[in-house]
């Protein structure tokens, strides 16, 4: 198919009903799940987003044993027990420094990814995970709690790099028909990682005084699996094409991931995207914060990311079936309900032998509410709210808010728990309710809507229209007044701009 045929094909309207897929599209979607694509998604997520989720929850179960280790080390060094407030501060730093490392990793990934590529960045990132695992697992035997703290920081760097490099890799290797579904693998494995950290932390498994260091040693397994598997898969074809100008390598990568020999259409689309990107000037973070036509989009992304972390849980799942808006509102609403119920059960847990089991049910219900609702949506909204030239700045803002909020929770929660005891979860319930109310009044539904439609939905609240909307209106008026037909050779580039930017 040549450029003109491709452009004309893109203008043919889809006759399928709303929310439906045409028969041809369904067939293409089925064929696009190649073996290499599935392996790349599973191995990439297992060695990246799984570890992020795992390290969010793994510190919960061994908390009393780690605090005892800190106290014993302090006594051995100074001849007296550690002050309770100092112990609480040390523990808060241990939990929250993971987020500081994550912020550092987020800021590093752009430079590393451009130099090494997406796949190589993921491979090199395993070095951070292995180093962190060895430091944390050996800290008890070495009698040095600083090794645990440094290991948590390094593990945070791994998480920051992974949560940026993996979505980029999966986005660039997947066909556009299944790009959203493949992107959800990241959120699913975060959820699995959180659950695995809680499960292995049970006293019947590794959550004992003698075995808690092995909880951190487990981290080395997903890293080694990714190191052993990922080298056999190609680099991102778009990275090879855009950054390395290796068309032969990009062709071979497309063939491997798409599972077919003829990838001329995908190459042509990628080249069209490259031509459009050459004419784009990326918006800086400061420019995006100052732009009036995306003011409420930025505010919504900040509140969404803050709620994502400050609600007291981290995970992700279902999106496409119900839409973003009801899942965010319903998810945070249910979390608030179950946090309130958890507070009641913790307060009354000595009244009857079955009450503690009800607390466990509430915790599982909170995890389920988060996974089925807010978990994966914040990252998708950030991509949907902004056009191509604004997305890098938007993701920097979102990532910064995400990791700083994570840091705040890790640092302050031990003090909140110490002050409020079983009522500490009411703080999270309040945040969930506030988030649900904001999304009910401000957030439009973005499911199956283009960037232009989403911008238009925010335009009234922003009281400003984006520049490209005005430009499109002027272009339409000019075409209406002109009697000449457009040059067919320019149709593909116009199509590329309208689709990408």
């Amino acid at each position: 198919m040549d450029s003109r045929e491709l452009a004309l094909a893109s203008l043919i309207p889809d006759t399928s009903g709303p929310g439906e897929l045409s028969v041809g599209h369904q067939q293409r979607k089925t064929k696009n799940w190649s073996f290499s694509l599935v392996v790349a998604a599973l191995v990439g997520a297992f060695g990246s987003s799984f570890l992020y989720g795992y390290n969010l929850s793994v510190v919960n179960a061994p908390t009393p044993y780690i605090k005892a280790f800190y106290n014993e080390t302090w006594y051995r060094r100074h001849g007296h027990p550690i002050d309770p407030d100092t112990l609480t501060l040390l523990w808060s730093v241990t939990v929250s420094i993971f987020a500081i490392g994550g912020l550092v990793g987020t800021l590093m990934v752009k430079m590393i990814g451009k130099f090494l590529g997406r796949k190589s960045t993921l491979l090199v990132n395993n070095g951070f995970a292995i180093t962190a695992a060895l430091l944390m697992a050996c800290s008890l035997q070495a009698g040095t709690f600083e090794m645990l703290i440094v290991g948590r920081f390094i593990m945070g760097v791994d998480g920051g790099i992974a949560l940026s490099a993996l979505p980029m890799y999966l986005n660039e290797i997947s066909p556009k028909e299944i790009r959203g579904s493949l992107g959800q693998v990241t959120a699913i494995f975060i959820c699995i990682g959180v659950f695995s950290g809680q499960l292995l932390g049970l006293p019947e498994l590794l959550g004992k005084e003698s075995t808690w260091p092995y909880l951190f040693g487990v981290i080395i397994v997903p890293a080694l699996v990714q190191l052993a598997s990922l080298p056999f898969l190609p680099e991102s074809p778009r990275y090879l094409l855009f950054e390395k100008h290796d068309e032969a390598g990009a062709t071979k990568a497309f063939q491997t991931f798409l599972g077919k020999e003829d990838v001329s259409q995908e190459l042509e689309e990628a080249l069209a995207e490259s031509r459009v990107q050459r004419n784009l000037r990326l918006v800086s973070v400061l420019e995006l914060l100052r732009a009036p036509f995306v003011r409420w989009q930025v505010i919504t992304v900040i509140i969404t990311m803050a709620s994502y972390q400050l609600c007291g849980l981290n995970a992700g799942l279902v999106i496409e079936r119900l839409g973003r808006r009801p899942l965010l509102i319903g998810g945070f609403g249910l979390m608030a309900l179950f946090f309130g119920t958890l507070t009641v059960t913790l307060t009354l847990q000595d009244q009857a032998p079955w009450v503690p089991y009800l607390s466990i049910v509430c915790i599982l219900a909170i995890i389920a509410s988060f996974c089925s609702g807010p978990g994966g949506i914040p990252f998708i909204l950030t991509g949907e709210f902004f056009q191509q030239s604004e997305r890098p700045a938007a993701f920097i803002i979102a990532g910064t808010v995400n990791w700083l909020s994570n840091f705040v929770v890790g640092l302050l929660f031990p003090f909140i728990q110490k002050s409020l005891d079983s009522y500490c979860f009411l703080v999270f319930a309040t945040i969930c309710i506030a988030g649900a109310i904001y999304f009910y009044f401000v957030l439009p539904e973005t499911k199956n809507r283009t960037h232009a439609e989403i911008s238009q939905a925010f335009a009234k609240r922003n009281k400003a229209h984006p520049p490209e909307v005005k430009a499109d209106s002027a272009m339409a008026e000019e075409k209406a007044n002109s009697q000449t037909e457009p040059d067919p050779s320019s149709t593909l580039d116009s199509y590329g701009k309208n689709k990408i930017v």
Side-chain angles (χ1 to χ4, degrees):
M1 182 180 287
D2 61 23
S3 301
R4 185 174 179 178
E5 289 173 332
L6 177 63
L8 292 175
S10 69
L11 300 177
I12 298 175
D14 185 5
T15 56
S16 58
E20 297 179 350
L21 294 175
S22 63
V23 175
H25 183 83
Q26 290 174 339
Q27 291 175 345
R28 288 196 307 270
K29 188 170 181 178
T30 303
K31 293 178 181 178
N32 281 331
W33 287 97
S34 70
F35 177 76
S36 297
L37 198 60
V38 172
V39 171
L42 295 179
V43 170
F46 184 54
S48 300
S49 56
F50 172 87
L51 286 181
Y52 167 75
Y54 183 84
N55 280 280
L56 286 173
S57 64
V58 72
V59 292
N60 295 331
T63 298
Y65 306 125
I66 296 176
K67 286 184 175 180
F69 165 52
Y70 284 8
N71 194 37
E72 292 170 6
T73 305
W74 190 278
Y75 186 86
R76 188 174 64 253
R77 292 177 182 177
H78 303 282
H80 58 83
I82 191 172
D83 181 75
D85 290 335
T86 305
L87 179 60
T88 303
L89 178 62
L90 266 179
W91 177 243
S92 298
V93 170
T94 303
V95 175
S96 60
I97 203 167
F98 176 71
I100 298 299
L103 183 58
V104 171
T106 300
L107 298 176
M108 288 170 55
V109 72
K110 183 178 180 181
M111 177 183 64
I112 298 176
K114 187 175 180 64
F115 179 72
L116 294 179
R118 316 313 188 214
K119 186 188 81 170
S120 298
T121 297
L122 290 173
L123 286 171
V124 169
N125 196 36
N126 289 302
F128 290 111
I130 294 171
T131 302
L134 293 175
L135 283 171
M136 293 187 289
C138 298
S139 59
L140 178 63
Q141 188 175 2
T144 308
F145 60 74
E146 291 86 355
M147 290 174 62
L148 183 61
I149 296 174
V150 172
R152 287 281 294 172
F153 172 80
I154 295 174
M155 202 62 232
V157 175
D158 173 271
I161 294 174
L163 286 188
S164 297
L166 178 63
M168 279 193 293
Y169 185 57
L170 296 183
N171 181 273
E172 293 177 3
I173 68 174
S174 60
K176 60 185 177 183
E177 291 86 3
I178 61 170
R179 196 166 291 163
S181 300
L182 198 70
Q184 281 301 96
V185 173
T186 301
I188 291 170
F189 270 80
I190 291 175
C191 213
I192 295 173
V194 170
F195 178 76
S196 300
Q198 299 281 8
L199 182 65
L200 291 179
L202 293 174
E204 292 79 6
L205 296 176
L206 298 178
K208 297 190 287 286
E209 186 175 8
S210 59
T211 58
W212 68 261
Y214 298 120
L215 280 170
F216 300 99
V218 167
I219 293 169
I220 204 170
V221 175
L224 291 176
V225 169
Q226 190 178 86
L227 267 178
S229 306
L230 212 55
F232 296 99
L233 295 169
E235 178 56 88
S236 158
R238 284 177 170 78
Y239 172 79
L240 293 173
L241 198 61
F242 297 168
E243 302 293 338
K244 297 298 184 182
H245 308 292
D246 182 4
E247 188 169 334
T251 301
K252 188 175 180 181
F254 270 129
Q255 290 172 338
T256 301
F257 285 125
L258 301 182
K260 60 182 183 179
E261 289 296 321
D262 183 12
V263 293
S264 56
Q265 181 177 344
E266 286 75 16
L267 272 177
E268 185 62 41
E269 289 176 352
L271 288 170
E273 181 180 344
S274 177
R275 289 194 293 270
V276 171
Q277 288 186 357
R278 282 199 298 266
N279 297 323
L280 287 177
R281 186 185 69 84
L282 295 181
V283 175
S284 69
V285 172
L286 192 58
E287 288 174 331
L288 190 65
L289 291 172
R290 288 176 174 175
F293 51 87
V294 291
R295 182 180 296 117
W296 280 96
Q297 289 95 312
V298 172
I299 293 172
T300 301
V301 163
I302 290 173
I303 291 178
T304 305
M305 278 297 179
S307 301
Y308 174 79
Q309 292 290 351
L310 298 177
C311 70
L313 197 68
N314 310 82
L317 270 176
V318 184
I319 298 232
E320 294 298 338
R321 185 172 297 275
L322 296 178
R324 284 64 158 152
R325 191 171 183 269
L327 285 175
L328 275 175
I329 297 170
F332 280 126
L334 286 174
M335 287 182 71
L337 173 65
F338 290 122
F339 270 129
T341 308
L342 178 62
T343 301
V344 174
T345 59
L346 289 175
T347 304
L348 303 176
Q349 64 178 342
D350 296 328
Q351 302 299 315
W354 53 268
V355 175
Y357 295 99
L358 186 58
S359 300
I360 295 174
V361 172
C362 288
I363 293 173
L364 294 176
I366 291 168
I367 295 174
S369 301
F370 193 82
C371 290
S372 61
I377 296 178
F379 302 100
I380 291 179
L381 286 182
T382 305
E384 291 178 332
F385 281 172
F386 304 95
Q387 65 176 349
Q388 183 74 21
S389 60
E390 298 164 343
R391 281 178 195 145
F395 272 102
I396 289 175
I397 294 172
T400 301
V401 174
N402 176 55
W403 286 106
L404 288 180
S405 299
N406 189 310
F407 173 75
V408 169
V409 172
L411 185 66
L412 297 183
F413 181 69
F415 295 98
I416 295 174
Q417 186 180 29
K418 188 176 180 180
S419 302
L420 300 179
D421 197 27
S422 59
Y423 295 99
C424 63
F425 293 103
L426 291 179
V427 175
F428 298 134
T430 303
I431 292 171
C432 290
I433 292 172
I437 292 173
Y438 176 86
F439 298 131
Y440 180 81
F441 287 104
V442 175
L443 180 66
E445 181 53 67
T446 62
K447 176 187 174 185
N448 295 331
R449 302 179 75 177
T450 65
H451 173 262
E453 291 170 336
I454 296 171
S455 297
Q456 190 63 33
F458 276 105
K460 185 176 180 181
R461 192 175 296 276
N462 288 325
K463 297 180 180 178
H465 290 272
E468 66 270 18
V469 173
K470 297 178 181 177
D472 290 344
S473 301
M475 187 180 299
E477 184 177 348
E478 181 181 345
K479 285 184 178 181
N481 295 330
S482 174
Q483 298 298 320
T484 60
E485 293 185 358
D487 181 8
S489 64
S490 65
T491 309
L492 179 60
D493 288 339
S494 300
Y495 166 73
K497 289 184 179 180
N498 291 332
K499 292 294 287 184
I500 297 171
V501 180

